[in-house]
């Protein structure tokens, strides 16, 4: 080819790349692959060649990803060579004789299945990316590309060993077979059950790639409120197709199962886990699944909770039910994730119930069962103390369940970066084995050593172009994946990574946006449920404030009044030793700290205590004044973020800028709605004026009570 011709081809190639990346930024569909720009310090790091040591084609996906990524970042076309020479990036599995010359075999062994090494090899003047299998090398490639985009690197900093802390890093989709998504705010399900198995949506691969890029290695495709039909042969063939789309990216497929399936699908009299025919039904079903999907991951089960069937229907325990499924899965290496989200309308403190039901069963579960526990004892509230289940179950592996979809945090309308919520939870000290027994450490295998460990995130993904409904909600999917890989990672750094890859590389702009993100969750806590309040939102849809809500004949534990208990004396749920004694479920010194109103952290005060309106807070304010001021603080913070965002106009893609701006306007309107509703309503009990510094409500309580939430707007 003549030089001129090649120049023309190169120019066309760059033009295409640039127009592709501009296009990508417009609708958010390219997630954190949208920017593809180098960090300003890394321009001198252009590799001279790419060398892939790959005899049997195992690294094709990883090398394509690397080559495309590097070409895009350096706006060039990097040559592929067969021999490593000065300036190469070298991709290889660890079982290569040359790799072994440079890295200690012990170190390679310690990488396990998913770990990788990125290392500048002085002797070769090259960068090596290696891992024990193709998935690990792919993780290494994504990490290297991320580093080039997000931090200044040099050959000294390229001496990286990354091994994920959790073995199972999994998304839970609450997607129904009819295409709807429970608590989904980004359109309908991405799984097109009607079209499968013949038509395969291109989104499946994009989804797998995005997940692999942040280290996620599993997905539960369907809602925990499981339709038994997912286990019919017809649906399993559809699942098989999804599994084969996700497999190259190292994503294993799991299913939520309905405990009554043997009766509903199999025509058995019941689903009693002690009956041989029920056990056999499950064994045969599992066999059928593995014939279709040899790397199937296992089952997720919501049993005897919110109307779902379970072993207790037959006088059996959670352990009986989980073990029956675990035994069926064991020969194939499958696992059971059994949820502890259980509560009972008759119990007078819902926060205590999971612990009461599960603790007596510790020691009874098989070793391929994990108990999946929500971060807090109630239900994904803007702030909850840690669930006392963490650290308490010592013989059974417990896996945290976080919610990525914002069921209680303004759906996909509010900008709320959940990294800070996740970090607060994962770094909470359980004291199970003395100081430093953080949730991360008691669940990731550092303290209790079980054969499997895991962490789940309830997905916020739908068919919207931008995947998550709000551009910034993508950051919550992103941070979940990054923390599942390393729960001790810094969430501010992760926010910055996301901004640089998704929105902009301009340093000043990056720091302003990161600041908005970092303050956003606290702001939401403040304008919704400050000082330990919880569950004040609207009945059923969980959007907007309805602290007054009473529904004739409804379960009391679904109503706000059950939780805030406001009266003429004060407000808050007494869970102290003189109340429901939920504090007893925590290890010392947490138990005493929470129990004593004087030492209970103020952010959990009304979670654990019924506090008089005139109680003196740390800053000298009365509780009533402080409560009102907190609501105001939340509103003010949203105003601030609106101001910051308005200055981003010239730096952010126009459509993205506008869409976020519109959402922040909704958020501010609703923050004021929350503040007005709560302080006006609680004022009917405190009978005190609003303190100085609190803006006069723009709404009237009676009008707010009549306000009807329009669900259509959100689905
Ligand atoms: C999938 C809460 C949600 C339900 C959800 C349930 C659960 O109650 O509102 O939509 O059901 O949690 O986690 O099982």
């Amino acid at each position: 080819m003549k030089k001129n011709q090649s120049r023309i081809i190169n120019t066309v190639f760059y033009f295409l790349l640039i127009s592709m990346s501009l296009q990508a930024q417009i609708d958010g569909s390219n997630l954190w692959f949208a920017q593809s720009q180098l960090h300003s310090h890394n321009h001198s790091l252009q590799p001279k060649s790419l060398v892939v040591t790959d005899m049997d084609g195992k690294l094709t996906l990883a090398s394509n990803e690397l080559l495309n990524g590097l070409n895009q970042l350096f706006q060039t076309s990097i040559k592929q060579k067969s021999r490593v020479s000065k300036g190469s990036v070298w991709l290889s599995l660890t079982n290569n004789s040359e790799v072994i010359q440079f890295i200690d075999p012990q170190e390679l062994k310690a990488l396990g299945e998913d770990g990788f090494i990125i290392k500048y090899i002085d002797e070769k003047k090259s960068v090596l990316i290696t891992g024990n299998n193709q998935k690990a090398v792919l993780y290494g490639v994504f990490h290297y590309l991320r580093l080039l985009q997000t931090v200044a690197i040099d050959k000294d900093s390229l001496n990286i060993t990354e091994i994920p802390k959790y073995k199972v890093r999994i998304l839970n989709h609450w997607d129904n077979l009819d295409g709807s998504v429970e608590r989904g705010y980004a359109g309908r399900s991405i799984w097109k059950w009607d079209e499968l198995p013949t038509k395969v949506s291109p989104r499946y691969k994009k989804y797998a790639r995005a997940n692999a890029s942040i280290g996620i290695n599993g997905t539960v495709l369907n809602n925990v409120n499981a339709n038994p039909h997912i286990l019919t042969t017809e649906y399993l063939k559809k699942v098989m197709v999804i599994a084969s789309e996700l497999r190259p990216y190292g994503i294993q497929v799991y299913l939520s199962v309905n405990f009554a399936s043997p009766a509903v699908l199999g025509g058995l009299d019941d689903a009693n886990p002690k009956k041989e025919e029920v056990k056999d039904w499950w064994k045969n079903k599992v066999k059928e699944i593995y014939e279709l999907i040899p790397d199937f991951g296992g089952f997720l089960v919501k049993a005897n909770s919110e109307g779902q069937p379970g072993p207790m229907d037959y006088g059996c325990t959670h352990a009986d039910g989980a073990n029956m499924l675990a035994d069926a899965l064991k020969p194939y290496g499958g696992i059971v994730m059994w949820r502890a989200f259980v509560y009972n309308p008759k119990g007078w403190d819902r926060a205590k119930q999971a612990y009461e039901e599960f603790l007596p069963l510790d020691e009874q579960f098989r070793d391929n069962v994990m108990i999946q526990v929500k971060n807090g004892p109630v239900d994904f509230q803007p702030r909850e103390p840690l669930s006392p289940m963490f650290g308490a179950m010592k013989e059974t592996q417990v896996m945290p369940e976080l919610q990525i979809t914002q069921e209680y945090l303004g759906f996909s309308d509010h900008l709320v970066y959940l990294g800070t919520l996740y970090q607060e939870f994962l770094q909470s000290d359980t004291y199970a084995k003395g100081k430093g027994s953080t949730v991360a450490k008691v669940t990731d295998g550092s303290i209790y050593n079980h054969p499997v460990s895991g962490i789940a995130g309830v997905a916020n993904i739908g068919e919207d172009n931008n995947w998550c409904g709000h551009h910034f909600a993508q950051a919550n999917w992103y941070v979940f994946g990054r923390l599942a890989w390393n729960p001790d990672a810094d969430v501010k750094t992760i926010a910055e990574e996301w901004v640089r890859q998704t929105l902009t590389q301009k340093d000043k702009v990056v720091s302003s946006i990161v600041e908005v993100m970092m303050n956003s969750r606290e702001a939401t806590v403040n304008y919704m449920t400050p000082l330990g309040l919880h569950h004040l939102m609207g009945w059923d849809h969980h959007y907007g404030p309805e602290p007054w809500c009473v529904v004739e004949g409804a379960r009391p534990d679904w109503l706000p009044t059950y939780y805030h208990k406001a009266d003429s004396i004060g407000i808050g749920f007494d869970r102290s030793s003189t109340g429901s004694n939920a504090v007893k479920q925590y290890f010392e010194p947490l138990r005493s700290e929470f129990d004593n109103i004087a030492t209970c952290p103020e952010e959990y005060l009304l979670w654990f205590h019924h506090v008089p309106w005139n109680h003196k807070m740390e800053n000298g304010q009365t509780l009533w004044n402080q409560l009102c001021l907190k609501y105001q603080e939340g509103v003010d913070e949203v105003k601030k973020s609106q101001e910051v965002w308005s200055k981003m106009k010239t730096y952010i893609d126009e459509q993205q800028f506008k869409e976020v701006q519109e959402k922040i306007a909704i958020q501010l309107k609703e923050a004021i709605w929350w503040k007005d509703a709560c302080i006006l309503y609680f004022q009917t009990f405190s009978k005190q004026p609003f303190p100085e510094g609190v803006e006069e409500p723009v709404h009237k309580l009676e009008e707010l009570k009549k306000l009807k939430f329009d669900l259509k707007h959100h689905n």
Side-chain angles (χ1 to χ4, degrees), residues 406 409-417 470 472 516 519-525 527-528 543 634-635 637-639 641-642 660-675 713:
Q406 292 167 229
L409 292 104
F411 294 6
S412 55
D413 284 339
H414 294 201
L415 190 168
V416 190
Y417 174 56
H470 193 306
F472 277 80
V516 166
N519 294 336
S520 60
R521 183 269 183 144
E522 199 60 38
T524 308
V525 169
Y527 65 71
M528 287 187 178
Y543 193 89
V635 170
E637 194 60 47
V638 182
K639 278 190 196 154
S641 67
Q642 190 176 45
V660 172
Q661 193 182 38
E662 282 166 7
K663 294 254 179 183
I664 299 183
I666 297 175
Q667 185 173 6
L668 180 56
K669 198 172 120 231
E670 296 185 345
I672 296 172
W673 172 29
W674 268 96
K675 164 190 149 274
H713 164 62

Side-chain angles (χ1 to χ4, degrees), residues 225-327:
N225 292 328
N227 184 331
H229 283 93
I230 192 71
L231 291 181
T232 57
T233 306
E234 182 197 351
Y235 271 90
L236 290 177
K237 286 191 175 150
K238 297 170 193 261
V239 173
M240 179 179 78
V241 172
I242 298 179
S244 58
E245 290 294 290
L246 309 190
R247 185 171 298 116
Y249 292 89
I251 315 286
Q252 272 182 284
V253 159
Y254 299 68
L255 293 176
S256 292
V257 296
N258 183 302
F259 199 78
S261 300
V264 182
L265 288 186
L268 302 187
D269 291 341
D270 58 42
N272 185 337
K274 293 255 167 85
K275 286 191 177 166
E276 286 310 313
E277 64 262 34
V278 172
K279 290 184 194 169
D280 287 345
W281 188 89
W282 282 109
K283 277 188 191 147
N284 289 331
K285 191 43 85 182
V286 166
K287 183 164 177 275
E288 182 188 351
I289 295 175
Y290 278 92
E291 273 162 13
L292 294 169
I293 309 161
D295 58 349
F296 180 71
F299 294 147
L300 171 64
V301 193
K302 171 175 176 178
N304 293 116
S305 165
E306 297 186 333
Q308 292 301 312
M312 291 158 90
D313 302 345
Y314 310 100
C316 301
T317 66
H318 288 291
D320 296 327
N323 291 345
M324 173 195 59
L325 297 175
D327 290 343

Side-chain angles (χ1 to χ4, degrees), residues 392-445:
M393 291 195 79
K394 300 191 166 83
E395 303 303 323
T396 315
Q397 179 64 38
V398 170
M399 69 184 285
E401 175 178 330
L402 296 164
Q403 197 177 44
I404 309 173
T405 192
Q406 292 167 229
E407 176 180 353
Y408 295 98
L409 292 104
F411 294 6
S412 55
D413 284 339
H414 294 201
L415 190 168
V416 190
Y417 174 56
L418 296 175
T420 47
L421 185 162
Y422 300 161
Q423 178 167 275
E424 175 179 295
F425 159 67
L426 289 163
Q427 297 309 322
S428 292
D429 204 337
T430 68
Y431 292 94
K433 291 272 173 185
K435 197 167 163 48
S437 310
T438 59
V439 171
K441 291 201 163 50
V442 296
T443 54
D444 71 7

Side-chain angles (χ1 to χ4, degrees), residues 520-622:
S520 60
R521 183 269 183 144
E522 199 60 38
T524 308
V525 169
N526 285 336
Y527 65 71
M528 287 187 178
T529 49
L531 300 176
L533 285 173
H534 49 293
H535 223 287
L536 302 183
M537 66 292 142
W539 163 256
D540 191 27
H541 50 67
H542 296 175
Y543 193 89
E546 277 187 29
W548 49 79
C549 178
V550 176
V551 176
E552 204 59 47
R555 285 175 65 146
D557 54 357
W558 283 353
L559 296 174
T561 43
Y562 171 97
Y563 297 95
H564 64 67
K565 302 203 186 303
D567 57 23
S568 61
I569 296 162
I571 180 170
F573 197 129
D574 185 1
R575 297 191 167 103
S576 73
S577 46
T578 52
S580 80
N581 206 10
V583 292
K584 188 162 179 256
Q585 297 179 336
Y586 291 92
F587 291 94
E588 285 293 9
L590 271 192
R591 183 185 301 165
S592 303
E593 192 185 303
F594 290 155
D595 192 32
N596 184 344
I597 199 166
T599 55
C600 182
E602 287 192 346
E603 66 261 34
Y604 302 132
L605 190 63
L606 306 180
W607 184 283
F608 288 111
H609 297 276
H610 189 73
V611 183
W613 294 113
N614 288 330
H615 169 82
K616 272 265 175 329
M617 303 292 285
E618 271 163 31
N619 62 2
Q621 293 282 4
T622 63

Side-chain angles (χ1 to χ4, degrees), residues 472 499 503-504 506-516 640-654 656-658 660-661 664:
F472 277 80
V499 174
L503 298 174
T504 176
K506 290 247 167 350
D507 290 340
K508 269 210 174 129
V509 182
V510 171
S511 56
S512 305
I513 298 176
V514 167
E515 202 183 320
V516 166
K640 235 199 264 167
S641 67
Q642 190 176 45
E643 264 165 47
V644 173
W645 190 254
S646 68
K647 293 188 190 125
M648 299 295 134
K649 194 165 184 222
T650 45
Y651 306 105
I652 305 285
D653 162 78
E654 206 183 313
Q656 233 164 3
F657 170 78
K658 210 167 139 268
V660 172
Q661 193 182 38
I664 299 183

